């Protein structure tokens, strides 16, 4: 692909508080900008700074479109910005991240009107749990525009085979590229003695770091923690409050009498986030559903073994023996947590090293960006489909 090809990535938000999607889309764009004339169209929230992006990425900011109900309904700024961009650069491809919002519909309508190929990355929003969340609103959106927009897409981008299967179950026949997210691999940790040999009386740390949202399954984790009451461990919960769920969790922590062993730190960024990963002995993501779960890859990159659920596409935790992959229900969380907390510091360290090797092998951005460029080239030029396209 040459730099003369202008491609627009369209994302509802690139704010730091948005969790995995802004980070993964931003890092993907960082690694694509060297080979494409790349533009990023997104909404601006003055209270939520953008994730750090490569200076070469041309950003089109829509001011305040998603701050109000009217903005979500209208979203005219997205179509106008894309139209102006097309008039100036002659876009050859749109890569849309996320669905359901009117800004996504505006992107689909723009692509159809201008006969521009459109890739839709649902970003987990077609998974069964996501469809059933706010179900009546999505049924209405499905009938009004969403099903039609998906039918008109040129192709889909899924971050895991399980997400591709969810797209197929809904009846869509277009090509699907299965290209995972990646992570920025931190510097290798030369010595894990701090994790293996804690000072006498010092607690080991289990870390949850993600959006604080009902989808993440934290009430199950807190109930399991209470039932196990593990000696020598503490649980740290970090992340931004999504929809007021933190208040519910704090009430549960107080009711269960866990205040001495469970702490909520709020969102963590930059050095504070890196320190949390480096100080963790175990990472826990008890989600009901994830299309990828970038925090899993991040934790493994920091040599931290992971406990997550089969609602997340991380069977490799079992095949690489670097974590636990359990059912997304109270019994599964309890059993997995019991096994993880009973694992010695030495074995946790060895599992973490295997996790790091997995990320080095499969989830580094340069190789992922190469696959994405290959996918774009195939859509624009034709020929034999790449082996990751179903």
């Amino acid at each position: 692909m040459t730099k003369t090809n202008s491609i627009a990535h369209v994302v509802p938000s690139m704010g730091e508080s948005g969790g995995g999607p802004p980070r993964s889309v931003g890092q993907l764009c960082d690694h694509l900008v060297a080979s494409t004339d790349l533009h990023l169209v997104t909404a601006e929230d003055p209270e939520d700074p953008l994730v750090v992006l490569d200076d070469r990425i041309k950003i089109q900011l829509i001011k305040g479109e998603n701050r109000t109900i009217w903005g979500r309904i209208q979203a005219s700024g997205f179509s106008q910005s894309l139209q102006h961009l097309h008039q100036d650069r002659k876009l050859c491809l749109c890569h849309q991240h996320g669905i359901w919002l009117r800004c996504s519909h505006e992107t689909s309508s723009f692509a159809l009107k201008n006969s521009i190929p459109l890739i839709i990355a649902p970003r987990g929003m077609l998974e069964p749990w996501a469809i059933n969340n706010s179900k009546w609103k999505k049924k209405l959106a499905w009938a009004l525009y969403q099903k039609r927009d998906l039918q008109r897409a040129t192709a889909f981008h899924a971050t895991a085979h399980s997400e591709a299967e969810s797209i197929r179950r809904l009846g869509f026949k277009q090509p699907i590229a299965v290209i995972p997210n990646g992570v920025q691999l931190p510097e290798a940790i030369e010595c894990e003695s701090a994790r293996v040999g804690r000072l006498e009386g010092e607690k080991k740390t289990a870390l949850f770091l993600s959006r604080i949202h009902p989808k993440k399954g934290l009430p199950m984790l807190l109930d399991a923690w209470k039932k196990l009451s593990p000696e020598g461990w503490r649980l740290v919960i970090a992340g931004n409050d999504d929809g007021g769920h933190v208040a519910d969790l704090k009430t549960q922590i107080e009711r269960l009498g866990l205040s001495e062993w469970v702490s909520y730190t709020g969102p963590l960024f930059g050095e504070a986030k890196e320190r949390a990963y480096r100080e963790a002995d175990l990472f826990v993501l008890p989600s009901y559903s994830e299309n990828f779960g970038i925090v899993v890859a991040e934790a493994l990159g920091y040599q931290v073994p992971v406990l997550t659920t089969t609602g997340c596409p991380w069977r490799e935790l079992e095949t690489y023996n670097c974590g636990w992959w359990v059912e997304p229900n109270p019994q599964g969380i309890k059993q997995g947590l019991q096994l993880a907390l009973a694992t010695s510091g030495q074995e946790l360290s060895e599992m973490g090293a295997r996790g790091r090797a997995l990320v080095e092998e499969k989830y580094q951005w340069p190789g992922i960006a190469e696959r994405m460029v290959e996918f774009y080239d195939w859509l624009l030029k034709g020929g034999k489909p790449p082996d990751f396209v179903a």
Side-chain angles (χ1 to χ4, degrees):
M1 174 163 290
T2 65
K3 289 280 281 187
T4 57
N5 289 308
S6 294
I7 295 175
H9 283 250
V10 185
V11 195
S13 171
M14 288 295 290
E16 286 184 341
S17 69
R23 294 204 307 279
S24 60
V25 173
Q27 290 171 16
L28 172 62
C29 291
D30 286 346
H31 287 82
L32 289 173
V33 72
S35 55
T36 65
D37 179 32
L38 194 142
H39 302 260
L40 183 63
V41 182
T42 188
E44 179 183 30
D45 181 348
E47 299 176 8
D48 191 11
L50 299 181
V51 298
V52 178
L53 296 165
D54 191 298
D55 291 339
R56 293 173 293 176
I57 298 173
K58 304 172 185 70
I59 306 174
Q60 312 289 321
L61 290 176
I62 313 301
K63 294 187 179 295
E65 286 294 333
N66 288 320
R67 293 286 292 161
T68 65
I69 293 175
W70 176 244
R72 287 176 180 270
I73 292 173
Q74 189 182 33
S76 59
F78 277 81
S79 58
Q80 291 172 3
S81 184
L82 284 165
Q83 197 63 51
H84 292 153
L85 186 58
H86 185 48
Q87 290 171 357
D88 181 49
R89 305 297 300 179
K90 292 301 177 187
L91 295 173
C92 65
L93 190 68
C94 278
H95 193 153
Q96 172 189 317
H97 301 270
I99 59 173
W100 299 118
L101 294 176
R102 285 291 295 182
C103 61
S104 305
H105 173 56
E106 289 293 327
T107 303
S108 298
S109 299
F110 160 79
L112 177 67
K113 176 183 176 182
N114 292 278
S115 301
I116 296 172
L118 174 66
I119 300 169
I120 294 181
R123 294 282 164 179
M125 297 178 188
L126 289 177
E127 298 300 297
W129 191 97
I131 290 176
N132 288 320
N133 186 43
S134 301
K135 191 172 184 178
W136 70 267
K137 294 180 182 178
K138 287 172 180 171
K139 278 190 172 182
L140 179 61
W142 188 262
L144 289 176
Y145 61 87
Q146 190 58 79
K147 180 180 180 180
R148 185 172 63 253
D149 288 348
L150 292 168
Q151 289 171 332
R152 290 170 173 170
T154 308
F156 290 97
H157 166 210
T159 55
H161 289 286
S162 58
E163 185 176 30
E165 290 166 3
S166 294
I167 294 169
R168 288 285 184 245
R169 279 196 298 270
L170 291 169
F172 299 108
K173 307 296 185 184
Q174 299 98 311
I176 303 174
V178 180
I179 303 175
N181 291 327
V183 292
Q184 300 281 23
L185 201 63
E187 291 185 10
I189 303 170
E190 297 297 335
C191 178
E192 286 296 295
S193 60
R195 288 173 177 162
V196 176
R198 295 285 182 184
L199 296 174
E200 186 176 352
E202 186 180 2
K203 290 182 172 63
K204 293 178 182 176
T205 299
L207 173 67
F208 168 94
L209 195 161
S210 191
R211 288 185 303 132
I212 310 299
H213 184 276
K215 182 180 83 164
K216 303 298 181 176
L218 281 166
M220 292 191 296
L221 176 60
L222 291 175
D223 284 340
W225 199 271
K226 174 62 177 179
K227 290 174 182 175
L228 295 173
S229 297
E231 291 187 11
W233 282 85
R234 66 177 183 138
L235 172 62
V236 174
I237 296 173
N240 63 291
D241 188 3
D242 191 341
H245 191 46
V246 166
D248 297 332
L249 294 179
K250 287 183 175 179
T251 298
Q252 185 182 3
I253 290 169
E254 185 69 26
R255 175 173 54 80
L256 294 175
L258 292 174
S259 300
E260 185 179 345
W261 299 277
V262 180
S263 60
Y264 170 64
T265 69
L268 299 177
F269 304 109
E271 292 182 1
K273 177 181 171 183
E274 179 179 349
R275 185 167 58 252
Y277 277 128
R278 292 201 184 276
E279 291 178 353
D281 300 271
L282 172 70
F283 188 84
V284 186
L285 182 68
S287 283
Y288 292 103
S289 176
E290 298 283 343
N291 68 301
F292 182 72
I294 194 169
V295 289
V296 172
E298 286 179 347
L300 294 175
Y302 281 97
Q303 298 176 229
V304 185
V306 174
L307 165 63
T308 193
T309 76
T310 55
C312 309
W314 280 95
R315 182 183 294 274
E316 289 160 321
L317 295 176
E318 291 187 341
T319 55
Y320 279 72
N321 191 16
C322 56
W324 296 265
W325 198 51
V326 302
E327 292 297 318
N329 57 44
Q331 185 65 16
I333 297 297
K334 179 176 176 290
Q335 290 177 348
L337 194 61
Q338 190 170 25
L339 289 171
L341 298 178
T343 303
S344 70
Q346 181 64 45
E347 178 58 20
L348 288 172
S349 179
E350 292 171 0
M351 294 177 78
R354 290 191 288 269
R356 166 92 180 193
L358 165 61
V359 173
E360 289 176 342
E361 179 184 341
K362 293 190 174 183
Y363 296 107
Q364 294 199 68
W365 275 116
I368 290 168
E370 286 179 10
R371 275 174 274 174
M372 192 63 73
V373 170
E374 185 180 355
F375 182 44
Y376 292 162
D377 274 337
W378 174 69
L379 286 176
L380 294 172
K381 300 175 184 176
K384 182 181 177 181
D387 57 10
F388 51 81
V389 173

